[in-house]
Amino acid sequence: MRNLSIPASARTPAIDFDFGKNHLKLSGESYPEDVTEFYNPLFSALDAYLAELGPGRSCRVDFELVYINSSSAKAVMMLMDKLDAAASNGPTVDVYWFYDAEDDTMQELGEEFGEDLENAKFHLEKMPR
Amino acid sequence: MLARELFDLRSALRKQGIIFAYSGYVTEAVLSGVGDAIKQKLLFDDANTKTTRSVFAVFVEQMQNMIRYSAETAMTGVPAPSPDGIRYGVLTVGLENGDYVVHAGNLVRRADVERLRAKLSRIRDMNKEELRVLYKEQLRGDPGEGSKGAGLGFMEIARRASKPIEFDFTDVDDEHAFFTLKASV
């Protein structure tokens, strides 16, 4: 399937979903004017990709977010839920949450998302500076 | 005389430690522009990363609350930015005893005052751990009737604040009250 690549804007993160390499990444800041409008295409692309990801396959998703507003937090949780549900069907799903060592708020938020993952493997790491 | 009037207003704001003041109709474009200026000012002040992000985070939630919920609206022409017009709010960012303070205010319907007061009192009286639990609960929960977001805004503000949030209401007319919410970072 076609990769999804969206450059970062002032209020939205860069999206680099390389489905061919099974490596998906979101990086930057997220406080879009309209959360639904920005995240819906991501949900659709992710659903289509995960539907084909069967047992024996693996994928890695990197969250490198420096700031997200409260509406975006809800959207990120929905992404996490999709990944966790997919991992319950066989494939290995590795979720990496990178946080800025100087802002423990994003570290705590990562921990909160990580606690809810039952099937996907969660990794909490400092952003390389 | 002309210069004096506006200079007096500027002086009054400065005396209160206010660095930024906005009073008027708020739009997402105002949020972007003022937000950018706040970021630059904090960078110039050499505020640490966490403080800068927290001031900005509180600013974003306060602005989006006014854009979405202020009860004072003006219908706008074509193309309308939103079906129910643009909304009016007041927001200041200042320094008080070494803390950055984001203070926002807008009209609300008097019928909503008690519901808001109850919600905010509960959040104000929670410690960080209780807030964390409530936040997670709400993240998974229903945003609630009339919400245009995730229903997490006040909690996000309280979590980012270094002190309990402060809020107040004052009646303006039969239908409206002025609501203010202040957070220190």
Side-chain angles (χ1 to χ4, degrees), chain B residues 19 22 31 54 64 70 110 117 135:
Chain B
I19 309 165
Y22 185 88
L31 188 165
S54 295
Q64 290 196 320
S70 168
R110 282 175 64 172
R117 194 193 297 280
Y135 182 93

Side-chain angles (χ1 to χ4, degrees), chain A residues 92-114:
Chain A
T92 307
V93 178
D94 283 283
V95 174
Y96 284 81
W97 182 273
F98 292 95
Y99 62 91
D100 184 338
E102 288 180 29
D103 183 11
D104 57 11
T105 314
M106 289 303 284
Q107 181 185 352
E108 278 171 31
L109 191 61
E111 284 165 3
E112 284 157 26
F113 287 127

Side-chain angles (χ1 to χ4, degrees), chain B residues 64-102:
Chain B
Q64 290 196 320
N65 279 343
M66 296 193 298
I67 293 167
R68 291 169 180 165
Y69 307 115
S70 168
E72 189 172 353
T73 61
M75 291 306 156
T76 48
V78 180
S82 78
D84 48 3
I86 51 172
R87 294 164 192 267
Y88 197 99
V90 183
L91 181 138
T92 64
V93 179
L95 267 171
E96 254 177 40
N97 308 318
D99 286 335
Y100 286 96
V101 173
V102 185

Side-chain angles (χ1 to χ4, degrees), chain B residues 51-176:
Chain B
T51 303
T52 303
R53 298 245 170 87
S54 295
V55 170
F56 187 72
V58 171
F59 163 78
V60 169
E61 301 298 331
Q62 295 258 51
M63 283 294 278
Q64 290 196 320
N65 279 343
M66 296 193 298
I67 293 167
R68 291 169 180 165
Y69 307 115
S70 168
E72 189 172 353
T73 61
M75 291 306 156
T76 48
V78 180
S82 78
D84 48 3
I86 51 172
R87 294 164 192 267
Y88 197 99
V90 183
L91 181 138
T92 64
V93 179
L95 267 171
E96 254 177 40
N97 308 318
D99 286 335
Y100 286 96
V101 173
V102 185
H103 195 178
N106 56 266
L107 292 190
V108 295
R109 292 189 310 129
R110 282 175 64 172
D112 293 329
V113 169
E114 283 320 306
R115 184 181 54 83
L116 277 168
R117 194 193 297 280
K119 190 172 176 178
L120 286 160
S121 303
R122 184 170 173 226
I123 291 170
R124 177 196 56 204
D125 297 340
M126 284 182 163
N127 63 31
K128 293 283 173 192
E129 178 56 23
E130 289 166 330
L131 274 170
R132 194 187 75 84
V133 172
L134 184 69
Y135 182 93
K136 264 199 86 167
E137 207 174 277
Q138 183 62 44
L139 194 60
R140 298 228 155 255
D142 188 316
E145 203 182 323
S147 176
K148 296 172 188 172
L152 294 163
F154 290 150
M155 275 174 253
E156 168 77 11
I157 291 168
R159 292 188 75 180
R160 288 280 189 175
S162 56
K163 290 181 187 157
I165 53 169
E166 293 173 63
F167 57 88
D168 197 18
F169 298 90
T170 184
D171 288 344
V172 171
D173 58 36
D174 289 348
E175 261 182 74
H176 301 97

